[in-house]
Amino acid sequence: MEIRNLTCISCPMGCQITVEMDGNEVVSVTGNTCKRGDVYARKEVTNPTRIVTSTVRVIGGKADMVSVKTKEDIPKGKIFDCVKSLKGVEVEAPVHIGDVIVPDAAGTGVDIVATKNVERA
Amino acid sequence: MKIRVTERQASDMKNYDIVIIGGGPAGLAAAVSAKKSGIDSILILERDKELGGILNQCIHNGFGLHTFKEELTGPEYAQRFIDQAKELDIEYRLNTMVMDISHEKVVTAMNREEGLFEIQAKAVILAMGCRERSRGALNIPGYRPAGIYSAGTAQRLVNMEGLMPGREVVILGSGDIGLIMARRMTFEGAKVKVVAELMPYSGGLKRNIVQCLDDYGIPLKLSHTVVDIKGKERLEGVTLAEVDQNGKPIPGTEEEYSCDTLLLSVGLIPENELSRGMGVEMSRVTSGPVVNESLETNIEGVFACGNVLHVHDLVDFVSEEAAAAGKNAAAYVRGERSAEGGREIRLSPVDGVRYTVPVSINTARMDEELTVRFRVGAVFKNCYVSAYFDDERVIHRKRQIVAPGEMEEIRLTKDQLLKYPDLKTITVKIEEA
């Protein structure tokens, strides 16, 4: 039996939630004061995901950097692999919102896309 | 010579119905709303090289859940409004610094192309945003080496200029920008050692504490502050200490942290030099203008919205507030804002409520529905948000928690207020259960 302690992010209460796990199965969720906490805790212990945001360098643009994000949320465990996949990446202007910067980042099946327009200088 | 220049400027002076100071989220939303309300002659003056304001450096996601029902990054959220402004052909000038606004709404600005110039506005919307509280305001003892930045400065360096401020980081203050930068610097290979917060609670959103600190094992030390700064040329380390209930460091609790970078995320201050210069009455609590139900200041035809009015935590509410300011400014220009037949009702914040925006309501000028926004001064659990119409409790809403870090609101309707013909004061307060 594994015990996981979480802080709920659903509201400013920030309930300290305790989840009892048996392998990948949730046995119990306690400490939450509402239903949203239960839903959050179950997702967070079985399949935690995050959107990753960063920047890459732009060549010949009106700005030096363009901001990027994973188009969808990716498994939490893959965050640093996604960040690493951006190391040394440079793009040529123009870049537009939604342009794919790194396809299938770190084998997640999720593309990293631009979140800002950078026109040619 | 001086007289001739003045004469030439007077004859060249451009006229606009509405001049908006600042092209960030507030200025853009105000412009779009004013244009949609039928005003064509609008000018946005922006000092940066692009529209979008501070959103351009807020590359993280989480913007727009209320407005667009999806999670956008800052630049994406800004672009939605920039696109709208461009589709509506709203005029704007970049790299343009507003130097002064007169009581008569003459805006003096300058840029490289036009030099110094003046514009006569019928209405002015103040949308200058806010800036960060700096080290100077904190009285931290110790040396003044390189390596101490406000969190927002570091954010701009990393996200827009591609520069890393340092490798070993301590953050003072748990405001949202500091928390976001803890994660951002970690992504860029820095070691963020600790976040120290003077208060016994964090001013940042829970979501940011979990997803920017807990996810990366960065400790948050509540009731702690920096008591010493070491290093003459470059920062070499800081000393943290625990503080008592009065915020005074407790001797014997000092801990040394070696670091080359200290980020400060200790609060935001509305940027109101222009407002003060033109004689706008200011609130000592928000450091922003005192406004009525139309978000109009004590100077008729001068409106304020966004972080220059009071610091927001969600840009969605900035957009909402700014849209109201834009609409009201448009009505003012058309001469459709009569207070005739209306009554003036004061809003009074007491018992845990620090301020309200607006501070007064004219029943003739108000819309069918009015959002009153406010902040509380401490964390209250299991409480009620109440509004008393003079002595009668009219709103009594149960809340599990209210906290200083999250802006609160109550909604009033015109019908509701008209039911109380003698109403003078609406008191907003927090009541314990």
Side-chain angles (χ1 to χ4, degrees), chain B residues 132-392:
Chain B
E132 296 175 280
R133 184 167 284 131
S134 62
R135 177 182 174 184
L138 299 179
N139 296 320
I140 309 173
Y143 286 107
R144 270 145 179 72
I148 304 173
Y149 301 86
S150 68
T153 301
Q155 189 178 44
R156 190 175 178 99
L157 289 172
V158 175
N159 293 345
M160 298 186 73
E161 296 176 28
L163 303 169
M164 267 299 273
R167 290 287 155 196
E168 291 195 303
V169 185
V170 170
I171 300 177
L172 174 60
S174 59
D176 285 309
I177 311 168
L179 300 176
I180 295 283
M181 281 314 290
R183 175 175 64 187
R184 186 74 190 105
M185 299 282 283
T186 304
F187 282 0
E188 292 298 328
K191 168 78 186 155
V192 180
K193 294 190 164 176
V194 65
V195 177
E197 168 61 55
L198 179 73
M199 304 302 285
Y201 51 84
S202 166
L205 301 172
K206 274 283 178 276
R207 167 188 159 123
N208 285 336
I209 291 173
V210 171
Q211 297 194 349
C212 298
L213 300 187
D214 296 357
D215 275 6
Y216 305 96
I218 300 166
L220 169 62
K221 293 194 159 231
L222 298 173
S223 301
H224 276 72
T225 193
V226 173
V227 293
D228 197 15
I229 287 175
K230 296 196 167 64
K232 273 191 176 167
E233 298 298 324
R234 176 77 198 195
L235 180 65
E236 287 165 12
V238 298
T239 308
L240 296 191
E242 199 179 336
V243 298
D244 62 22
Q245 302 100 303
N246 302 318
K248 295 270 176 267
I250 303 170
T253 62
E254 295 88 356
E255 276 178 288
E256 310 283 325
Y257 286 85
S258 72
C259 59
D260 58 17
T261 306
L262 174 66
L263 300 188
L264 304 176
S265 182
V266 291
L268 300 167
I269 305 164
E271 198 168 337
N272 273 299
E273 283 75 8
L274 290 171
S275 323
R276 280 194 198 91
M278 73 185 302
V280 166
E281 187 194 338
M282 307 295 293
S283 157
R284 277 165 59 179
V285 181
T286 60
S287 301
V290 171
V291 294
N292 64 22
E293 77 299 318
S294 306
L295 304 173
E296 185 186 37
T297 66
N298 60 311
I299 304 176
E300 214 182 89
V302 176
F303 300 80
C305 55
N307 281 353
V308 83
L309 177 56
H310 58 144
V311 175
H312 294 61
D313 12 80
L314 294 180
V315 71
D316 302 75
F317 297 144
V318 169
S319 303
E320 203 180 293
E321 187 178 273
K327 182 170 156 260
N328 294 333
Y332 170 81
V333 168
R334 285 198 308 262
E336 290 168 6
R337 269 181 74 265
S338 170
E340 213 172 305
R343 283 173 301 109
E344 196 84 359
I345 299 166
R346 301 294 301 175
L347 282 148
S348 168
V350 297
D351 296 350
V353 177
R354 292 181 59 227
Y355 71 87
T356 61
V357 166
V359 301
S360 66
I361 301 169
N362 183 288
T363 50
R365 282 193 309 239
M366 88 178 273
D367 283 333
E368 291 311 312
E369 195 175 86
L370 178 74
T371 303
V372 176
R373 301 187 203 280
F374 62 92
R375 277 188 198 275
V376 295
V379 175
F380 296 90
K381 287 191 175 171
N382 202 18
C383 61
Y384 290 90
V385 171
S386 302
Y388 285 73
F389 285 20
D390 288 330
D391 294 329
E392 184 185 336

Side-chain angles (χ1 to χ4, degrees), chain A residues 62-81:
Chain A
K62 281 188 175 174
D64 295 331
M65 308 297 288
V66 64
S67 51
V68 300
K69 70 173 182 184
T70 54
K71 201 172 175 190
E72 288 147 37
D73 41 358
I74 53 125
K76 190 179 156 190
K78 290 276 188 180
I79 291 175
F80 278 102
D81 293 332

Side-chain angles (χ1 to χ4, degrees), chain A residues 96-109:
Chain A
H96 295 110
I97 290 176
D99 287 358
V100 175
I101 304 296
V102 176
D104 184 16
T108 54

Side-chain angles (χ1 to χ4, degrees), chain B residues 99-113:
Chain B
M99 313 300 294
D100 180 67
I101 312 169
S102 77
H103 198 271
E104 289 69 39
K105 306 186 193 73
V106 174
V107 179
T108 307
M110 69 194 298
N111 61 35
R112 277 167 183 265
E113 288 72 38

